[in-house]
Amino acid sequence: MKKYDFIIAGGGMAGLSLAYYLLQSPLRNRSILILDRELKNRNDRTWCFWEGTTKSSRPCAFEPVLFRTWNSVSFNGTTYAGPIDLGKYRYKMLRGIDFYDFVQAELAKYPNVEQKQVSIDRIKDTPQGGFVIANDEPYIADYVFDSTFALKLDQPENHNLLQHFKGWVITTEKPCFDPQQPKIMDFRVDQQGDCRFIYILPFDEKTALVEYTLFNGSLLTDDEYDAELRRYIDQFLDTGAYQISETEYGVIPMSDERTEENPSEHIIRIGTAGGFTKASTGYTFQRTQRYLQAIVHNLAKTGKPNRQVSWFKGRFKLYDSIFLNVLEKNRHPADDVFTRVYTKNPRRIFAFLDEDTRFIDELRLFATLPFWPFTQAFFDVLRRKLAG
């Protein structure tokens, strides 16, 4: 049985990003095996993220294939409708198919990279290395990077919500979109006791991705997502006739379940499996890129992939749990919470969500939130964690 240097279990965004960064590092000639059950040959998802423009900001590795970049975004909340100041940040959109094609073209340059379309049955650690069973065939490597591990999402001491969404790319008869300004949240939809909003990514004046997004614990039927999309389009967009050219659907866990990035000596979990998704927002892409770059840097420098994390950074996990508690318990209307966050903390909010703020900035942001709901959430989080 051939032993690889690295096996990447799961060839989605996290797995392919890791392969790309390995090939841009001194480790580029190591043997790499990528295992995934699907061919990545269709535009199955979209990733959006903000990124800094200062001299110290590192540009996105996939900048050449970004679909759109915006200097401004807009927001519709309870007390405000209009643009949000991005400050030093830019909002960027990457289509799944463009990302897949870009990375696959890079992988094709390296004969030391193998890919197999298989279903992964089991991953375990052994004294000889990380061991993977896929389609009843064994594979072994010095390190296995696993993005397939599923979180439990049912432990009572944790907060376990879902970010789920369905979107349509529509082409309209009339020009009704502002191509210079995506709408990151529009709360002019029935909240039904939780958090629901519309998200619009304009491609031009007549084409956009219009997405219905929810933060709660229950998925909808296709017909329910479709009905809300139609209702919003009919009520708030002067489209004339329109056609649906693409459909996008996804579910992202919003959970503060404790994850183990390094569960054993030869296995490293990446992506959502490794806790790369920010629990309070569901944002994953940019955090995954940063964390994977750190893993590859350490691996090339020390031979070990363990990412170094400051203990003080752990405060952001507490913030995420408190925010999830407010949403889960409906302690305050979510549309008002987000309105306060975005309108009273211009510029600061994006650094905060990137976990790049100072503690004093975080205190200033907290001062803009409703006091009692978040105080109650803080103590409930402590109670649940201690009880667990």
Side-chain angles (χ1 to χ4, degrees):
M1 178 173 54
K2 177 180 177 179
K3 185 176 184 180
Y4 295 86
D5 291 306
F6 311 121
I7 292 176
I8 299 175
M13 182 268 287
L16 290 178
S17 295
L18 173 62
Y20 178 82
Y21 291 128
L22 287 169
L23 297 178
Q24 307 307 307
S25 79
L27 304 169
R28 64 179 59 87
N29 294 319
R30 300 289 184 89
S31 57
I32 301 171
L33 173 64
I34 304 172
L35 304 174
D36 196 271
R37 64 185 177 186
E38 295 180 353
L39 293 174
K40 301 300 181 182
N41 56 5
R42 60 190 180 90
N43 192 42
D44 58 350
R45 65 196 62 217
T46 299
W47 296 289
C48 285
F49 55 97
W50 48 82
E51 196 165 52
T53 58
T54 61
K55 290 182 180 179
S56 62
S57 300
R58 181 182 298 179
C60 174
F62 309 108
E63 195 82 17
V65 290
L66 289 178
F67 188 64
R68 291 290 186 276
T69 298
W70 294 281
N71 298 326
S72 177
V73 299
S74 67
F75 177 91
N76 278 76
T78 53
T79 60
Y80 176 82
I84 298 293
D85 185 1
L86 290 176
K88 64 181 181 180
Y89 292 91
R90 297 294 177 266
Y91 198 64
K92 301 183 176 184
M93 174 184 177
L94 177 61
R95 299 194 314 158
I97 190 61
D98 297 331
F99 168 80
Y100 301 141
D101 289 349
F102 179 82
V103 176
Q104 289 294 345
E106 189 67 18
L107 299 183
K109 300 175 185 177
Y110 293 85
N112 53 300
V113 178
E114 297 180 39
Q115 299 186 70
K116 294 182 183 290
Q117 188 179 359
V118 293
S119 294
I120 296 171
D121 305 312
R122 187 182 178 193
I123 297 174
K124 68 175 183 177
D125 204 3
T126 72
Q128 293 74 38
F131 197 70
V132 181
I133 302 293
N135 284 12
D136 296 324
E137 291 290 328
Y139 303 92
I140 192 169
D142 290 334
Y143 290 107
V144 173
F145 296 92
D146 177 22
S147 65
T148 67
F149 179 81
L151 304 181
K152 295 184 178 67
L153 302 178
D154 62 359
Q155 304 303 296
E157 69 270 20
N158 302 320
H159 302 83
N160 300 297
L161 299 179
L162 300 171
Q163 178 184 145
H164 49 111
F165 52 85
K166 185 173 184 179
W168 294 338
V169 175
I170 64 172
T171 301
T172 66
E173 180 182 14
K174 300 179 182 179
C176 61
F177 302 112
D178 180 356
Q180 304 304 316
Q181 200 167 81
K183 194 177 291 291
I184 58 172
M185 283 182 158
D186 188 340
F187 284 100
R188 293 177 296 174
V189 293
D190 186 354
Q191 295 298 288
Q192 300 186 38
D194 44 48
C195 180
R196 304 176 182 222
F197 58 91
I198 293 289
Y199 181 57
I200 299 179
L201 298 175
F203 305 165
D204 55 49
E205 292 183 338
K206 293 185 176 182
T207 311
L209 171 62
V210 181
E211 199 159 81
Y212 180 52
T213 303
L214 303 88
F215 296 170
N216 62 20
S218 303
L219 302 181
L220 305 184
T221 66
D222 272 346
D223 288 345
E224 288 173 316
Y225 291 110
D226 291 348
E228 292 297 335
L229 283 166
R230 290 193 187 93
R231 186 175 295 115
Y232 178 88
I233 292 169
D234 293 345
Q235 186 172 357
F236 297 110
L237 298 177
D238 185 16
T239 61
Y242 64 88
Q243 293 183 331
I244 302 169
S245 59
E246 293 181 37
T247 298
E248 175 176 294
Y249 174 77
V251 181
I252 301 171
M254 297 175 67
S255 173
D256 57 358
E257 177 179 333
R258 184 177 178 273
T259 54
E260 293 185 272
E261 189 174 319
N262 304 103
S264 56
E265 183 179 358
H266 302 103
I267 296 173
I268 302 90
R269 292 176 184 155
I270 60 175
T272 298
F276 292 6
T277 297
K278 187 165 177 63
S280 59
T281 64
Y283 274 99
T284 304
F285 183 85
Q286 187 69 329
R287 285 163 60 92
T288 296
Q289 305 308 313
R290 295 166 87 178
Y291 293 178
L292 291 177
Q293 288 170 322
I295 287 172
V296 171
H297 174 78
N298 289 346
L299 189 57
K301 185 176 180 179
T302 70
K304 300 288 185 180
N306 307 71
R307 188 171 59 91
Q308 304 301 313
V309 182
S310 161
W311 68 268
F312 193 51
K313 276 282 189 179
R315 69 191 188 277
F316 287 98
K317 293 186 180 295
L318 174 61
Y319 302 160
D320 286 339
S321 293
I322 293 169
F323 188 79
L324 287 175
N325 189 277
V326 171
L327 292 180
E328 181 188 86
K329 298 294 186 180
N330 297 313
R331 298 188 186 278
H332 192 84
D335 52 357
D336 186 61
V337 171
F338 280 103
T339 300
R340 292 175 184 234
V341 165
Y342 278 103
T343 61
K344 296 182 182 295
N345 300 278
R347 305 186 183 194
R348 184 188 300 131
I349 180 57
F350 299 103
F352 175 74
L353 293 175
D354 273 347
E355 302 183 358
D356 286 336
T357 44
R358 300 171 301 165
F359 187 57
I360 187 64
D361 295 318
E362 294 148 26
L363 293 178
R364 289 169 179 154
L365 185 146
F366 300 152
T368 67
L369 299 174
F371 178 77
W372 281 115
F374 278 81
T375 300
Q376 291 172 318
F378 170 73
F379 285 109
D380 193 33
V381 166
L382 294 184
R383 179 190 61 78
R384 288 168 69 160
K385 296 300 182 183
L386 290 173

